[in-house]
């Protein structure tokens, strides 16, 4: 029996992976925006999350959160959510039978 994770739709919000690259176009280096929009559920960390991150040597602050989503995100990528930017610090597979992923993120201080 396959397990299916259920996170209510109301927890999901529009998010964006910020990615800018440069490429040569007509002998000119041009910045290209390769940002990608997706839906993710950004939540505060629970006790188990804090323990797991601390055990991995990752510093947990009041700006640390987790995001559940159905896309692959690389560590160190920047995510925009509700006007704030977050850096992906680490990831974990949520369940082997589901495509849901959990990423731990830290707000970027501007």
């Amino acid at each position: 029996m396959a397990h299916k994770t259920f996170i209510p739709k109301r927890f999901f919000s529009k998010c964006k992976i910020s990615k800018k690259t440069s490429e040569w176009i007509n002998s000119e280096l041009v910045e290209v925006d390769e940002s990608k929009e997706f839906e993710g559920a950004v939540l505060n960390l629970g006790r188990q999350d804090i323990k797991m991150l601390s055990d991995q040597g990752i510093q947990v602050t009041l700006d640390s959160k987790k995001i559940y989503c159905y896309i692959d995100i690389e560590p160190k990528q920047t995510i925009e959510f509700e006007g704030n930017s977050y850096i992906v610090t680490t990831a974990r597979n949520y369940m082997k039978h589901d495509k849901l992923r959990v990423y731990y993120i830290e707000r970027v201080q501007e």
Side-chain angles (χ1 to χ4, degrees), residues 53 56 58-59 64-65 74-77 86-91 103-107:
L53 293 171
Q56 290 182 12
I58 297 172
Q59 183 178 356
S64 300
K65 298 198 178 293
E74 296 294 321
K76 306 286 186 217
Q77 281 192 302
Y86 295 85
I87 296 282
V88 176
T89 56
T90 190
Y103 298 96
Y104 294 93
I105 57 178
E106 183 75 26
R107 189 169 69 158

Side-chain angles (χ1 to χ4, degrees), residues 58-97:
I58 297 172
Q59 183 178 356
V60 177
T61 69
L62 293 175
D63 291 322
S64 300
K65 298 198 178 293
K66 61 184 171 182
I67 183 169
Y68 292 83
C69 60
Y70 290 95
I71 64 167
D72 290 322
I73 304 173
E74 296 294 321
K76 306 286 186 217
Q77 281 192 302
T78 303
I79 295 174
E80 293 177 18
F81 169 72
E82 291 186 346
N84 292 309
S85 295
Y86 295 85
I87 296 282
V88 176
T89 56
T90 190
R92 121 178 119 93
N93 288 333
Y94 191 68
M95 297 180 85
K96 66 180 181 178
H97 302 292

Side-chain angles (χ1 to χ4, degrees), residues 21-71:
T21 60
S22 298
E23 64 181 61
W24 290 97
I25 300 176
N26 297 328
S27 299
E28 189 175 330
L29 190 60
V30 178
E31 188 174 271
V32 179
D33 185 2
E34 293 182 355
S35 297
K36 179 179 179 180
E37 290 192 358
F38 67 98
E39 293 217 337
V42 178
L43 303 170
N44 291 323
L45 300 179
R47 280 187 227 158
Q48 289 179 335
D49 299 312
I50 293 169
K51 180 174 177 2
M52 184 209 56
L53 293 171
S54 296
D55 289 349
Q56 290 182 12
I58 297 172
Q59 183 178 356
V60 177
T61 69
L62 293 175
D63 291 322
S64 300
K65 298 198 178 293
K66 61 184 171 182
I67 183 169
Y68 292 83
C69 60
Y70 290 95
I71 64 167

